[in-house]
Amino acid sequence: MEEKGNCEPGLVEYSMVINSLCKDRLVTEALKLFSEMIGKGISPDVITYTLIQGVSSLCECKEATRLLNEMVGKNIWPNVHTFNILVDALCKEGKAKEAQVVVQLIIQRGVVPDVVTYSAVMDGYCLCGQVDGARKMFDVMVSRGCAPDVVTYNILINGYCKIKNVDEAINLFKEMSQKRLLPDIITYTTLIGGLCQTRRPRDALLLLDEMLTHGQIPDLFTYSTLLDGLCNNQYIDEALALFEKIETAGLVSNIVVYNNLIYGMCKARKLDDARKLYLCLSAKGLKPNVCT
C-alpha cells in the first residue's frame, strides 16, 4: 500500500496490524509501528491502544500505564476492556492495591467495571495471600449490582483453600448452587485439593462422586490431586481403587500419578508394593524422575 503511494494506510490499517502484532507478543514491533503512525500525523483511537494489552501481557506495567496516561491526555477515554487489561496486568505482578485504585478511577470517570474487572482484582489479592481483601472486593462487586460468575467464585474458593479455610470455600460452593451457577471442573478440583490438605479425604471422595453425578468429568489433574491427598493421609486402599478408576476412565497415568502412589506405599511401609509399581514404569513407557 505504501509503495503504490495512491493508497496510503490509515488509522484502521495501522490499528489492525498493531493489534495482530500484540496478539503474537511482538510488542517491540507494535510500538515501532505505533510511533511511525503518530509520526505520519495519524491520531490513534481506543482500538489502536489495544497495544496496552500487548505491553501488559509481558508484565511491563509501567509502560502500559504510560500509554494509558498518554491515551487520556489525548482525550481518548479508555473503555472497560482497556482498563481490564491494565488491572489484570497489575494483579499478576502482585499489585492488587494499585489495581483497586484503577478500579476507583474507572468508577469516577463513569465507566462501569464488569465481572472481569472485579475478578482480576480478587485474583490479585488471592495471589498475595490477602483473601480478606478479595472477599471485600467480592462484596463490593455484589453491592454494586455486578453478578459474580463461575470464574469469580473459583478465584475466591481457591483463595480460601490456600489458607486452609475450607469451610468458607464450601459455603461459597453451596452459594453457587443457590444462585444456579454450575460448578465446573476447576471448582471441584480446587475443593478436592482443599479437603485433602485439611485431612478430609473421605469428604473429597464424596465430592468426586457428586462431581460425576452432576456430569462434570474429572481429568487426570483432578484424579492426581485426590490420589495425592489419599496417599498423604494413608488411605492406601482407597488410593488403589481410585488408581483403577483412572485406568477405567481411559486416562493415561503419568509419572506424577505413579509417584504419588509409590510415595503412599512407602509412607504406609508397603515397600514391596511400592517396588512392584516402580518396576511397572518401563512397561508403561514412563521414566523415573528424581521424585520417584
Side-chain angles (χ1 to χ4, degrees):
M1 288 173 75
E2 286 180 329
E3 283 173 4
K4 285 188 177 181
N6 60 348
C7 187
E8 282 287 324
L11 175 62
V12 174
E13 289 76 22
Y14 271 102
S15 295
M16 287 170 70
V17 179
I18 287 169
N19 187 38
S20 183
L21 287 167
C22 287
K23 284 178 180 176
D24 289 340
R25 299 177 70 83
L26 300 170
V27 181
T28 304
E29 289 85 345
L31 287 168
K32 282 180 182 176
L33 198 62
F34 180 72
S35 297
E36 179 188 306
M37 184 187 85
I38 292 171
K40 288 185 176 180
I42 301 169
S43 298
D45 63 4
V46 69
I47 297 169
T48 325
Y49 277 97
T50 51
L51 61 92
I52 290 174
Q53 184 171 14
V55 174
S56 299
S57 69
L58 298 179
C59 291
E60 296 177 13
C61 283
K62 285 183 180 177
E63 180 62 13
T65 306
R66 185 192 69 76
L67 284 166
L68 185 66
N69 290 332
E70 181 183 301
M71 184 178 178
V72 174
K74 291 180 178 178
N75 291 320
I76 303 166
W77 191 247
N79 55 27
V80 70
H81 176 65
T82 315
F83 273 120
N84 286 349
I85 291 163
L86 185 57
V87 167
D88 184 57
L90 286 166
C91 290
K92 282 175 180 173
E93 283 195 5
K95 297 176 179 177
K97 287 184 178 178
E98 289 90 335
Q100 195 166 354
V101 170
V102 175
V103 174
Q104 293 303 322
L105 179 63
I106 296 171
I107 294 164
Q108 287 169 14
R109 295 292 180 176
V111 179
V112 181
D114 60 12
V115 65
V116 178
T117 321
Y118 288 112
S119 296
V121 179
M122 285 171 58
D123 194 34
Y125 275 115
C126 288
L127 286 170
C128 300
Q130 299 175 27
V131 185
D132 287 344
R135 182 68 205 218
K136 284 176 184 175
M137 183 55 63
F138 180 86
D139 293 337
V140 167
M141 172 184 176
V142 173
S143 70
R144 288 180 176 156
C146 185
D149 60 10
V150 175
V151 174
T152 317
Y153 275 100
N154 285 348
I155 288 166
L156 204 49
I157 287 169
N158 184 50
Y160 279 119
C161 285
K162 279 185 175 178
I163 62 170
K164 297 186 178 180
N165 189 349
V166 181
D167 288 333
E168 192 57 43
I170 290 169
N171 287 338
L172 285 165
F173 177 76
K174 290 176 180 176
E175 189 179 299
M176 288 177 74
S177 299
Q178 291 165 5
K179 293 188 176 180
R180 297 184 179 180
L181 284 172
L182 293 174
D184 60 12
I185 189 171
I186 296 170
T187 322
Y188 282 106
T189 304
T190 304
L191 262 181
I192 285 168
L195 287 165
C196 289
Q197 285 176 3
T198 51
R199 299 188 177 278
R200 294 164 65 178
R202 290 200 182 279
D203 289 338
L205 280 166
L206 291 172
L207 193 60
L208 180 72
D209 291 337
E210 183 183 325
M211 181 180 181
L212 291 162
T213 303
H214 286 90
Q216 289 289 343
I217 308 300
D219 60 10
L220 191 61
F221 183 69
T222 311
Y223 280 116
S224 181
T225 302
L226 181 52
L227 190 71
D228 182 46
L230 291 168
C231 289
N232 278 328
N233 289 284
Q234 296 193 33
Y235 283 72
I236 302 302
D237 292 338
E238 290 83 353
L240 286 168
L242 185 69
F243 182 71
E244 288 178 13
K245 275 187 181 180
I246 295 172
E247 302 287 313
T248 308
L251 297 169
V252 180
S253 298
N254 57 23
I255 192 65
V256 176
V257 173
Y258 275 94
N259 283 350
N260 287 338
L261 202 50
I262 288 168
Y263 172 72
M265 295 291 186
C266 291
K267 197 172 181 180
R269 301 194 177 189
K270 295 188 175 185
L271 300 181
D272 289 337
D273 292 330
R275 184 170 177 79
K276 284 176 187 176
L277 276 172
Y278 172 77
L279 294 172
C280 285
L281 292 177
S282 58
K284 296 283 184 180
L286 297 171
K287 290 183 179 181
N289 59 19
V290 65
C291 294
T292 326

